[in-house]
Amino acid sequence: PAHAPSASCGAPVGARALPQDLQPRALGVDAMTNAHTALVRAIQGELGALPGVLVLANNQGTARFMNPRTEREYTVRLGLGPGTPDLLLILAPYGRLLGLECKTGTGRPTPEQKQCHSVWASFGAHVVVVHTVAEAREALRCAQARGAS
């Protein structure tokens, strides 16, 4: 299974869930979203079980909340921002960053994703578009080889 966040890198110890009336409203998902989610989870589970690999999901989207005191609805953006990879892997022992953009079927990165991936690569991150768990394993192997050189 994927690594669970610890108190030092995830939610602070003693963090409380939002009250029920401030919980995000459920949004409908389509078949492509379900296939994408399944691919991300499969990669996260397999690669996250490997020693020396920390896998972080970059969940993107928005959540809508209702403030019960003011009865005002507001929207919060989730994730690292537009175009960022679905999964971020930190590789031991040097902290090398590998971003995995997960695509299903014949999916290709958007122009926004291509631009983001290019910027990240200019800072030394290894960013790869993958369609299968096998492609993700190969991307990890390549990134680990690059980190050793």
Side-chain angles (χ1 to χ4, degrees):
H3 295 279
S6 68
S8 63
C9 66
V13 173
R16 293 179 297 164
L18 290 171
Q20 186 63 33
D21 54 354
L22 292 179
Q23 293 293 323
R25 295 181 183 166
L27 303 176
V29 293
D30 60 19
M32 285 302 287
T33 300
N34 288 335
H36 180 266
T37 299
L39 176 62
V40 170
R41 286 182 180 162
I43 292 169
Q44 189 176 16
E46 182 157 331
L47 300 187
L50 299 173
V53 179
L54 175 63
V55 180
L56 304 168
N58 180 24
N59 298 317
Q60 298 278 344
T62 58
R64 291 179 296 198
F65 296 90
M66 177 67 75
N67 184 325
R69 291 176 283 285
T70 64
E71 296 185 5
R72 181 173 170 233
E73 186 176 290
Y74 59 99
T75 302
V76 176
R77 288 187 67 104
L78 306 174
L80 293 176
T84 55
D86 296 303
L87 293 171
L88 306 175
L89 287 70
I90 302 173
L91 311 178
Y94 303 110
R96 179 127 187 103
L97 180 64
L98 170 61
L100 296 178
E101 183 65 50
C102 302
K103 296 292 182 184
T104 55
T106 58
R108 295 185 306 241
T110 65
E112 196 170 50
Q113 289 170 330
K114 288 178 183 179
Q115 180 182 10
C116 178
H117 300 173
S118 177
V119 169
W120 282 33
S122 74
F123 281 87
H126 191 66
V127 183
V128 180
V129 176
V130 298
H131 293 84
T132 65
V133 174
E135 288 178 6
R137 278 194 307 266
E138 179 62 15
L140 173 60
R141 188 193 66 72
C142 291
Q144 288 172 321
R146 275 181 59 187
S149 56

